[in-house]
Amino acid sequence: MRALLLLAALCGCIFASVWPLQMQCYHCEETLLNNDCSAAKFIVNCTANIQDACQKEVMVGTHGVSYRKACASYTTCLIASAGYQPFCSPGRVGSVCISCCNTPLCNGPRPPRISKAHTCTPLSLMLLLALTVTMATLSAILL
């Protein structure tokens, strides 16, 4: 049994090193704001073991906001991002902001923000349950 577990662990290590998971990112060149190239047709497979991150550039020009998205080396992306930091002023014409991330499709659309006013907390769920039980009890008494 021990030998079988050892063999399974060894095979797992070999498969993980020979066939690494391939990063996927959105890829496009200078797309204007009305299309931030976050549709499925812009998804590409990055080069395994080389491009381990996604990069997103947001550029504000006189004609609006444009995007550039691509696969990248995480280290190279961080260097580029730091180099453009003095030029990153969101909303200002001439601004160029570069961001780097290292999870699949992380340079795509931002997920919608959930307002705290609309989230259910355990306390609000308990109050809702208590109100429901009270209403059911009153309804049964009155009928």
Side-chain angles (χ1 to χ4, degrees):
M1 184 65 166
R2 269 181 127 169
L4 185 60
L5 287 174
L6 183 62
L7 180 63
L10 181 62
C11 286
C13 290
I14 290 171
F15 286 134
S17 63
V18 174
W19 290 289
L21 294 175
Q22 192 170 28
M23 176 69 85
Q24 286 188 316
C25 298
Y26 289 93
H27 179 85
C28 66
E29 294 292 327
E30 298 186 27
T31 304
L32 289 176
L33 180 63
N34 59 356
N35 177 13
D36 75 344
C37 63
S38 295
K41 68 181 182 179
F42 294 107
I43 296 173
V44 297
N45 290 322
C46 303
T47 305
N49 296 325
I50 297 171
Q51 296 175 317
D52 57 350
C54 300
Q55 179 173 318
K56 178 164 87 172
E57 295 179 41
V58 181
M59 298 154 284
V60 181
T62 54
H63 298 291
V65 178
S66 61
Y67 295 88
R68 185 179 300 150
K69 298 180 180 185
C71 296
S73 154
Y74 193 62
T75 305
T76 303
C77 184
L78 289 176
I79 292 168
S81 177
Y84 275 91
Q85 196 62 42
F87 306 104
C88 182
S89 301
R92 292 186 135 181
V93 173
S95 173
V96 179
C97 299
I98 298 176
S99 59
C100 314
C101 53
N102 57 1
T103 57
L105 304 176
C106 57
N107 65 340
R110 285 188 168 183
R113 294 184 105 188
I114 298 174
S115 168
K116 292 222 181 242
H118 297 112
T119 57
C120 290
T121 62
L123 179 60
S124 64
L125 290 174
M126 287 176 49
L127 290 172
L128 182 61
L129 180 62
L131 181 62
T132 304
V133 169
T134 303
M135 294 297 288
T137 305
L138 285 175
S139 178
I141 292 172
L142 294 175
L143 294 177

PDB file of all heavy atoms in Angstrom, residues 34-57:
ATOM      1  N   ASN A  34     -15.826  51.099 -25.616  1.00  0.00           N
ATOM      2  CA  ASN A  34     -17.083  50.385 -25.808  1.00  0.00           C
ATOM      3  C   ASN A  34     -16.865  48.887 -26.030  1.00  0.00           C
ATOM      4  O   ASN A  34     -17.810  48.127 -26.108  1.00  0.00           O
ATOM      5  CB  ASN A  34     -17.892  50.990 -26.963  1.00  0.00           C
ATOM      6  CG  ASN A  34     -17.136  50.958 -28.281  1.00  0.00           C
ATOM      7  OD1 ASN A  34     -15.983  50.556 -28.333  1.00  0.00           O
ATOM      8  ND2 ASN A  34     -17.785  51.402 -29.336  1.00  0.00           N
ATOM      9  N   ASN A  35     -15.621  48.454 -26.151  1.00  0.00           N
ATOM     10  CA  ASN A  35     -15.303  47.039 -26.280  1.00  0.00           C
ATOM     11  C   ASN A  35     -13.967  46.809 -25.590  1.00  0.00           C
ATOM     12  O   ASN A  35     -12.922  46.999 -26.186  1.00  0.00           O
ATOM     13  CB  ASN A  35     -15.230  46.637 -27.757  1.00  0.00           C
ATOM     14  CG  ASN A  35     -14.838  45.185 -27.927  1.00  0.00           C
ATOM     15  OD1 ASN A  35     -14.845  44.418 -26.980  1.00  0.00           O
ATOM     16  ND2 ASN A  35     -14.485  44.820 -29.133  1.00  0.00           N
ATOM     17  N   ASP A  36     -13.997  46.408 -24.334  1.00  0.00           N
ATOM     18  CA  ASP A  36     -12.732  46.234 -23.598  1.00  0.00           C
ATOM     19  C   ASP A  36     -12.112  44.862 -23.832  1.00  0.00           C
ATOM     20  O   ASP A  36     -11.287  44.408 -23.073  1.00  0.00           O
ATOM     21  CB  ASP A  36     -12.919  46.529 -22.117  1.00  0.00           C
ATOM     22  CG  ASP A  36     -13.643  45.424 -21.369  1.00  0.00           C
ATOM     23  OD1 ASP A  36     -14.267  44.568 -22.022  1.00  0.00           O
ATOM     24  OD2 ASP A  36     -13.584  45.424 -20.126  1.00  0.00           O
ATOM     25  N   CYS A  37     -12.499  44.224 -24.924  1.00  0.00           N
ATOM     26  CA  CYS A  37     -11.984  42.915 -25.378  1.00  0.00           C
ATOM     27  C   CYS A  37     -12.016  41.858 -24.284  1.00  0.00           C
ATOM     28  O   CYS A  37     -11.045  41.131 -24.092  1.00  0.00           O
ATOM     29  CB  CYS A  37     -10.619  43.030 -26.034  1.00  0.00           C
ATOM     30  SG  CYS A  37      -9.272  43.617 -25.015  1.00  0.00           S
ATOM     31  N   SER A  38     -13.137  41.769 -23.585  1.00  0.00           N
ATOM     32  CA  SER A  38     -13.300  40.751 -22.556  1.00  0.00           C
ATOM     33  C   SER A  38     -14.281  39.663 -22.984  1.00  0.00           C
ATOM     34  O   SER A  38     -14.816  38.959 -22.139  1.00  0.00           O
ATOM     35  CB  SER A  38     -13.772  41.397 -21.251  1.00  0.00           C
ATOM     36  OG  SER A  38     -12.771  42.245 -20.751  1.00  0.00           O
ATOM     37  N   ALA A  39     -14.510  39.526 -24.287  1.00  0.00           N
ATOM     38  CA  ALA A  39     -15.379  38.470 -24.796  1.00  0.00           C
ATOM     39  C   ALA A  39     -14.567  37.185 -24.964  1.00  0.00           C
ATOM     40  O   ALA A  39     -13.333  37.212 -25.036  1.00  0.00           O
ATOM     41  CB  ALA A  39     -15.989  38.896 -26.131  1.00  0.00           C
ATOM     42  N   ALA A  40     -15.264  36.076 -25.062  1.00  0.00           N
ATOM     43  CA  ALA A  40     -14.602  34.770 -25.174  1.00  0.00           C
ATOM     44  C   ALA A  40     -13.690  34.680 -26.396  1.00  0.00           C
ATOM     45  O   ALA A  40     -12.672  33.986 -26.355  1.00  0.00           O
ATOM     46  CB  ALA A  40     -15.654  33.671 -25.228  1.00  0.00           C
ATOM     47  N   LYS A  41     -14.015  35.403 -27.455  1.00  0.00           N
ATOM     48  CA  LYS A  41     -13.185  35.316 -28.665  1.00  0.00           C
ATOM     49  C   LYS A  41     -11.783  35.896 -28.469  1.00  0.00           C
ATOM     50  O   LYS A  41     -10.890  35.662 -29.275  1.00  0.00           O
ATOM     51  CB  LYS A  41     -13.876  36.003 -29.844  1.00  0.00           C
ATOM     52  CG  LYS A  41     -13.992  37.503 -29.723  1.00  0.00           C
ATOM     53  CD  LYS A  41     -14.705  38.078 -30.932  1.00  0.00           C
ATOM     54  CE  LYS A  41     -14.786  39.588 -30.855  1.00  0.00           C
ATOM     55  NZ  LYS A  41     -15.439  40.160 -32.026  1.00  0.00           N
ATOM     56  N   PHE A  42     -11.563  36.645 -27.389  1.00  0.00           N
ATOM     57  CA  PHE A  42     -10.254  37.230 -27.118  1.00  0.00           C
ATOM     58  C   PHE A  42      -9.401  36.378 -26.177  1.00  0.00           C
ATOM     59  O   PHE A  42      -8.297  36.766 -25.819  1.00  0.00           O
ATOM     60  CB  PHE A  42     -10.414  38.635 -26.530  1.00  0.00           C
ATOM     61  CG  PHE A  42     -11.002  39.627 -27.486  1.00  0.00           C
ATOM     62  CD1 PHE A  42     -12.303  40.070 -27.327  1.00  0.00           C
ATOM     63  CD2 PHE A  42     -10.258  40.116 -28.550  1.00  0.00           C
ATOM     64  CE1 PHE A  42     -12.856  40.983 -28.212  1.00  0.00           C
ATOM     65  CE2 PHE A  42     -10.791  41.026 -29.436  1.00  0.00           C
ATOM     66  CZ  PHE A  42     -12.101  41.461 -29.274  1.00  0.00           C
ATOM     67  N   ILE A  43      -9.894  35.212 -25.748  1.00  0.00           N
ATOM     68  CA  ILE A  43      -9.137  34.344 -24.838  1.00  0.00           C
ATOM     69  C   ILE A  43      -8.077  33.578 -25.625  1.00  0.00           C
ATOM     70  O   ILE A  43      -8.367  32.998 -26.664  1.00  0.00           O
ATOM     71  CB  ILE A  43     -10.071  33.359 -24.112  1.00  0.00           C
ATOM     72  CG1 ILE A  43     -11.049  34.136 -23.213  1.00  0.00           C
ATOM     73  CG2 ILE A  43      -9.270  32.353 -23.295  1.00  0.00           C
ATOM     74  CD1 ILE A  43     -12.120  33.273 -22.576  1.00  0.00           C
ATOM     75  N   VAL A  44      -6.845  33.613 -25.123  1.00  0.00           N
ATOM     76  CA  VAL A  44      -5.737  32.891 -25.761  1.00  0.00           C
ATOM     77  C   VAL A  44      -5.006  32.044 -24.718  1.00  0.00           C
ATOM     78  O   VAL A  44      -5.063  32.326 -23.521  1.00  0.00           O
ATOM     79  CB  VAL A  44      -4.728  33.851 -26.436  1.00  0.00           C
ATOM     80  CG1 VAL A  44      -5.374  34.627 -27.563  1.00  0.00           C
ATOM     81  CG2 VAL A  44      -4.093  34.786 -25.423  1.00  0.00           C
ATOM     82  N   ASN A  45      -4.322  31.017 -25.188  1.00  0.00           N
ATOM     83  CA  ASN A  45      -3.456  30.210 -24.331  1.00  0.00           C
ATOM     84  C   ASN A  45      -2.064  30.827 -24.356  1.00  0.00           C
ATOM     85  O   ASN A  45      -1.519  31.109 -25.418  1.00  0.00           O
ATOM     86  CB  ASN A  45      -3.390  28.770 -24.841  1.00  0.00           C
ATOM     87  CG  ASN A  45      -4.689  28.041 -24.646  1.00  0.00           C
ATOM     88  OD1 ASN A  45      -5.367  28.211 -23.643  1.00  0.00           O
ATOM     89  ND2 ASN A  45      -5.053  27.225 -25.617  1.00  0.00           N
ATOM     90  N   CYS A  46      -1.506  31.041 -23.189  1.00  0.00           N
ATOM     91  CA  CYS A  46      -0.178  31.636 -23.085  1.00  0.00           C
ATOM     92  C   CYS A  46       0.894  30.553 -23.252  1.00  0.00           C
ATOM     93  O   CYS A  46       0.615  29.370 -23.093  1.00  0.00           O
ATOM     94  CB  CYS A  46      -0.012  32.322 -21.732  1.00  0.00           C
ATOM     95  SG  CYS A  46      -1.266  33.573 -21.416  1.00  0.00           S
ATOM     96  N   THR A  47       2.108  30.969 -23.529  1.00  0.00           N
ATOM     97  CA  THR A  47       3.220  30.034 -23.680  1.00  0.00           C
ATOM     98  C   THR A  47       3.570  29.446 -22.319  1.00  0.00           C
ATOM     99  O   THR A  47       3.927  30.183 -21.390  1.00  0.00           O
ATOM    100  CB  THR A  47       4.448  30.758 -24.277  1.00  0.00           C
ATOM    101  OG1 THR A  47       4.059  31.390 -25.494  1.00  0.00           O
ATOM    102  CG2 THR A  47       5.582  29.787 -24.536  1.00  0.00           C
ATOM    103  N   ALA A  48       3.464  28.119 -22.204  1.00  0.00           N
ATOM    104  CA  ALA A  48       3.726  27.443 -20.933  1.00  0.00           C
ATOM    105  C   ALA A  48       5.159  27.688 -20.474  1.00  0.00           C
ATOM    106  O   ALA A  48       6.086  27.745 -21.275  1.00  0.00           O
ATOM    107  CB  ALA A  48       3.468  25.951 -21.078  1.00  0.00           C
ATOM    108  N   ASN A  49       5.329  27.839 -19.174  1.00  0.00           N
ATOM    109  CA  ASN A  49       6.624  28.031 -18.511  1.00  0.00           C
ATOM    110  C   ASN A  49       7.323  29.347 -18.850  1.00  0.00           C
ATOM    111  O   ASN A  49       8.418  29.591 -18.381  1.00  0.00           O
ATOM    112  CB  ASN A  49       7.587  26.871 -18.801  1.00  0.00           C
ATOM    113  CG  ASN A  49       7.081  25.568 -18.247  1.00  0.00           C
ATOM    114  OD1 ASN A  49       6.461  25.543 -17.193  1.00  0.00           O
ATOM    115  ND2 ASN A  49       7.318  24.492 -18.956  1.00  0.00           N
ATOM    116  N   ILE A  50       6.734  30.176 -19.686  1.00  0.00           N
ATOM    117  CA  ILE A  50       7.336  31.470 -20.022  1.00  0.00           C
ATOM    118  C   ILE A  50       6.378  32.597 -19.663  1.00  0.00           C
ATOM    119  O   ILE A  50       6.732  33.508 -18.929  1.00  0.00           O
ATOM    120  CB  ILE A  50       7.718  31.538 -21.525  1.00  0.00           C
ATOM    121  CG1 ILE A  50       8.775  30.484 -21.844  1.00  0.00           C
ATOM    122  CG2 ILE A  50       8.202  32.933 -21.898  1.00  0.00           C
ATOM    123  CD1 ILE A  50       9.070  30.319 -23.305  1.00  0.00           C
ATOM    124  N   GLN A  51       5.170  32.527 -20.184  1.00  0.00           N
ATOM    125  CA  GLN A  51       4.157  33.552 -19.913  1.00  0.00           C
ATOM    126  C   GLN A  51       3.263  33.056 -18.779  1.00  0.00           C
ATOM    127  O   GLN A  51       2.309  32.325 -19.002  1.00  0.00           O
ATOM    128  CB  GLN A  51       3.351  33.842 -21.171  1.00  0.00           C
ATOM    129  CG  GLN A  51       4.193  34.440 -22.283  1.00  0.00           C
ATOM    130  CD  GLN A  51       3.409  34.607 -23.565  1.00  0.00           C
ATOM    131  OE1 GLN A  51       2.652  33.739 -23.960  1.00  0.00           O
ATOM    132  NE2 GLN A  51       3.614  35.735 -24.224  1.00  0.00           N
ATOM    133  N   ASP A  52       3.591  33.468 -17.568  1.00  0.00           N
ATOM    134  CA  ASP A  52       2.881  32.993 -16.385  1.00  0.00           C
ATOM    135  C   ASP A  52       1.967  34.045 -15.778  1.00  0.00           C
ATOM    136  O   ASP A  52       1.556  33.932 -14.632  1.00  0.00           O
ATOM    137  CB  ASP A  52       3.888  32.504 -15.345  1.00  0.00           C
ATOM    138  CG  ASP A  52       4.890  33.580 -14.945  1.00  0.00           C
ATOM    139  OD1 ASP A  52       4.929  34.646 -15.592  1.00  0.00           O
ATOM    140  OD2 ASP A  52       5.656  33.353 -13.987  1.00  0.00           O
ATOM    141  N   ALA A  53       1.641  35.080 -16.562  1.00  0.00           N
ATOM    142  CA  ALA A  53       0.806  36.164 -16.050  1.00  0.00           C
ATOM    143  C   ALA A  53       0.016  36.796 -17.188  1.00  0.00           C
ATOM    144  O   ALA A  53       0.262  36.536 -18.357  1.00  0.00           O
ATOM    145  CB  ALA A  53       1.672  37.230 -15.381  1.00  0.00           C
ATOM    146  N   CYS A  54      -0.940  37.614 -16.793  1.00  0.00           N
ATOM    147  CA  CYS A  54      -1.714  38.408 -17.748  1.00  0.00           C
ATOM    148  C   CYS A  54      -1.412  39.880 -17.477  1.00  0.00           C
ATOM    149  O   CYS A  54      -1.197  40.276 -16.335  1.00  0.00           O
ATOM    150  CB  CYS A  54      -3.209  38.168 -17.576  1.00  0.00           C
ATOM    151  SG  CYS A  54      -3.732  36.460 -17.833  1.00  0.00           S
ATOM    152  N   GLN A  55      -1.407  40.668 -18.539  1.00  0.00           N
ATOM    153  CA  GLN A  55      -1.115  42.098 -18.425  1.00  0.00           C
ATOM    154  C   GLN A  55      -2.273  42.878 -19.031  1.00  0.00           C
ATOM    155  O   GLN A  55      -2.859  42.467 -20.015  1.00  0.00           O
ATOM    156  CB  GLN A  55       0.167  42.413 -19.182  1.00  0.00           C
ATOM    157  CG  GLN A  55       0.569  43.868 -19.154  1.00  0.00           C
ATOM    158  CD  GLN A  55       1.942  44.062 -19.777  1.00  0.00           C
ATOM    159  OE1 GLN A  55       2.858  43.289 -19.544  1.00  0.00           O
ATOM    160  NE2 GLN A  55       2.087  45.098 -20.580  1.00  0.00           N
ATOM    161  N   LYS A  56      -2.578  44.015 -18.419  1.00  0.00           N
ATOM    162  CA  LYS A  56      -3.613  44.898 -18.957  1.00  0.00           C
ATOM    163  C   LYS A  56      -3.100  46.328 -18.918  1.00  0.00           C
ATOM    164  O   LYS A  56      -2.613  46.781 -17.888  1.00  0.00           O
ATOM    165  CB  LYS A  56      -4.903  44.781 -18.149  1.00  0.00           C
ATOM    166  CG  LYS A  56      -6.002  45.709 -18.645  1.00  0.00           C
ATOM    167  CD  LYS A  56      -7.372  45.326 -18.114  1.00  0.00           C
ATOM    168  CE  LYS A  56      -7.694  45.928 -16.798  1.00  0.00           C
ATOM    169  NZ  LYS A  56      -9.093  45.697 -16.387  1.00  0.00           N
ATOM    170  N   GLU A  57      -3.173  46.989 -20.066  1.00  0.00           N
ATOM    171  CA  GLU A  57      -2.808  48.399 -20.147  1.00  0.00           C
ATOM    172  C   GLU A  57      -4.083  49.197 -20.411  1.00  0.00           C
ATOM    173  O   GLU A  57      -4.860  48.840 -21.285  1.00  0.00           O
ATOM    174  CB  GLU A  57      -1.825  48.648 -21.293  1.00  0.00           C
ATOM    175  CG  GLU A  57      -0.495  47.980 -21.116  1.00  0.00           C
ATOM    176  CD  GLU A  57       0.424  48.231 -22.297  1.00  0.00           C
ATOM    177  OE1 GLU A  57       0.452  49.369 -22.808  1.00  0.00           O
ATOM    178  OE2 GLU A  57       1.106  47.276 -22.701  1.00  0.00           O
TER     179      GLU A  57
END
